[in-house]
Amino acid sequence: MNLPELGAFLRTRRDRIRPTEVGLPHGPRRRVPGLRREEVAQLAGLSADYYTELERGSAEHGVQPSAQTLAALARALRLNGDERDHLFHLAERPIPPSAHGPSAHVQPALLGLLDRLSTTPARVITDLHETLVENNLALSLLGRSPAHRGPTASFVYRWFTDPQAREIYPPEDHPRHSRVFVADLQAAAARRGRDAEVAKMVAMLRRRSQEFAALWDTHDVAVRRMDHKKIVHPTLGVVELDCHNLLSEDGRQRLLWFTAPPGSPGAEQLELLSVLGTQDLSVPGGTAPDGSPAAQSRSQR
């Protein structure tokens, strides 16, 4: 591991990021235009001391950043794909998939937009409905995303294999969501072509779910771009919201955000989310929409 080069690279990337680009105040006493070390640590979910050791590039304390730490730093520093790969090379870690999977590199453009959506629930997911990153209001509304790997990282997979995944939506809406999920997955499979990950997921779902197999055989296809949803929240009850999707240029990632008409019950419930935070969200068991647990058990969308 080339710790001196790794530290120098992190330092140069930190220097080029302006605080306002990541939602931080510039402040009157800032001596440098870029981020402070403790700010990078905060954005990446690391301790300031640990990040400082990384930048110093000293092997004295045996600093060995994990792949998860490197991915968090890549997001915090808004690295593009080449820069992210370089970071992993310097740390002598295998480069993770760039477009899908829970460790995927979030596209900087989507991440920048997510930073600016501070007053509405929002998250970035893959085209297989794996949650990559989300804001605090999304956590409050949908619960924390599960740390699954493989097919179970996908909310679509869990929707057809885990009954508790469906608890986030009212039962009368389940058939419609099933159709929409399968049509969206058909579009993703066609876009990816001969993709082993999609082929494995589809094969497993066909074996485990008669409902999925029947819907898949209809060959209906439609990319999900906008939807009206009723979300069952453990404290607020049923919350009616509009869900918007902004797709990346290659279609493999999308930004989701939720809104409600001004003055509507949904708008009032969204206001309450910032007060509730992530407290009182635990529901026994399971997972839920497009990638999050319903408070350890609820999930994405």
Side-chain angles (χ1 to χ4, degrees), residues 125-273:
I125 69 170
T126 71
D127 56 350
L128 299 187
H129 296 256
E130 304 151 320
T131 299
L132 301 179
V133 63
E134 56 203 342
N135 64 16
N136 288 333
L137 282 176
L139 289 173
S140 299
L141 178 66
L142 306 167
R144 187 171 302 279
S145 300
H148 291 282
R149 293 184 179 276
T152 56
S154 165
F155 179 70
V156 173
Y157 182 86
R158 297 195 307 278
W159 177 262
F160 289 101
T161 60
D162 181 0
Q164 288 180 313
R166 302 192 174 201
E167 293 176 358
I168 198 168
Y169 296 137
E172 63 270 19
D173 292 347
H174 291 179
R176 179 177 66 87
H177 286 300
S178 294
R179 292 192 301 272
V180 171
F181 281 139
V182 173
D184 190 75
L185 184 59
Q186 283 275 14
R191 184 170 52 247
R192 290 194 182 199
R194 298 181 181 275
D195 185 276
E197 183 183 19
V198 177
K200 178 181 178 180
M201 179 185 295
V202 171
M204 293 176 67
L205 283 171
R206 288 182 69 91
R207 288 195 302 268
R208 295 195 58 181
S209 170
Q210 292 182 350
E211 180 191 18
F212 175 86
L215 289 171
W216 189 260
D217 288 340
T218 66
H219 296 280
D220 290 342
V221 58
V223 177
R224 174 180 280 191
R225 292 184 173 87
M226 196 274 182
D227 199 357
H228 183 78
K229 299 187 175 211
K230 296 177 183 177
I231 296 172
V232 181
H233 188 275
T235 301
L236 299 177
V238 176
V239 184
E240 290 199 41
L241 300 171
D242 294 321
C243 178
H244 308 272
N245 289 251
L246 177 65
L247 276 66
S248 61
E249 187 174 353
D250 63 5
R252 290 201 171 197
Q253 293 183 11
R254 64 185 69 174
L255 173 68
L256 311 179
W257 72 99
F258 296 85
T259 62
S264 67
E268 295 177 3
Q269 289 167 311
L270 284 181
E271 288 287 333
L272 288 174
L273 276 178

Side-chain angles (χ1 to χ4, degrees), residues 273-292:
L273 276 178
S274 59
V275 178
L276 289 174
T278 55
Q279 65 181 345
D280 195 28
L281 298 182
S282 53
V283 174
T287 53
D290 296 298
S292 131

Side-chain angles (χ1 to χ4, degrees), residues 96-113:
S98 59
H100 53 83
S103 60
H105 180 57
V106 184
Q107 297 195 15
L110 297 183
L111 196 56
L113 286 172

